[in-house]
Amino acid sequence: MEDFETIAHSLGEPRRGILIALVETDKETLNTAQLRDHELVPRGSTIHHLERLMDWELVEEADQRAYHGRGGLDARIWKLTERGKSFFTEHVDAPASTFVSPEEVADLGERMNKVEDDMESMKRLLVKLAVNTGEVSKEQAEEILAN
C-alpha cells in the first residue's frame, strides 16, 4: 500500500475534489452522479478516479446503489474510509467550504432572480420619481428604462 506522501504527490485535482466533496457534504455518502455534479469530473473518468482512490484505500463503495433520477442503472455510492479521513486531514489543503449542493445552487439562482426583479422594480420607481419631480423628461425616462 502506498504511503500518504506518495499518494499526495499523485493525487491530482479531480481526485482531490472528490475527497473534498465527500468530506464537506452533510451526508455520509455520495453517489457517482452527485460527485460528478459537484466536482465537474467528466462522466467517462469519474469511475477511474474513484477506483484509484479505492486502490489507495481512501474511499470505499457502499453495498447499496441509489437511483439518481437520470434513467439507466442506479448509481454507485461512495464514502470515505478512516484512512481517507486521516489522509484528508494530513495532506489535503482545502478551503473552509468548497462543497455546494445542487439544491444550494438552485436556491442561489432563485435568490439572484428575486434580487434582479427587485432591482428592476426599484429602477422603475426611481425613474417615475425623477419624472414626477421634473428631474427627467418622459423621453429620458423611456430611454433609461429601455437599457
Side-chain angles (χ1 to χ4, degrees), residues 19 22-23 28 58-60 78-82 84-85:
L19 291 175
L22 286 166
V23 166
E28 187 172 318
L58 302 180
V59 301
E60 63 187 7
W78 304 90
K79 64 181 180 178
L80 278 176
T81 62
E82 289 304 315
K85 291 174 187 175

Side-chain angles (χ1 to χ4, degrees), residues 45-145:
S45 66
T46 305
I47 295 299
H48 163 75
H49 293 301
L50 284 162
E51 287 176 347
R52 187 67 179 133
L53 291 168
M54 222 166 63
D55 290 344
W56 290 331
E57 297 183 5
L58 302 180
V59 301
E60 63 187 7
E61 185 176 356
D63 292 333
Q64 75 274 16
R65 289 183 174 234
Y67 177 69
H68 55 84
R70 297 183 187 154
L73 299 174
D74 288 347
R76 294 164 74 179
I77 298 175
W78 304 90
K79 64 181 180 178
L80 278 176
T81 62
E82 289 304 315
R83 178 176 160 85
K85 291 174 187 175
S86 295
F87 174 80
F88 187 88
T89 302
E90 296 174 28
H91 293 280
V92 177
D93 181 30
S97 180
T98 60
F99 185 82
V100 180
S101 72
E103 294 82 15
E104 291 172 314
V105 172
D107 181 54
L108 185 57
E110 289 175 21
R111 291 173 56 197
M112 285 298 300
N113 288 339
K114 183 172 178 352
V115 167
E116 289 171 349
D117 291 346
D118 289 349
M119 293 293 292
E120 186 61 31
S121 294
M122 290 176 66
K123 179 179 175 182
R124 291 184 179 286
L125 285 171
L126 288 171
V127 168
K128 185 176 182 180
L129 180 64
V131 169
N132 288 339
T133 59
E135 294 295 319
V136 172
S137 69
K138 288 185 180 183
E139 294 80 22
Q140 289 172 316
E142 289 173 6
E143 185 177 316
I144 292 168
L145 293 175

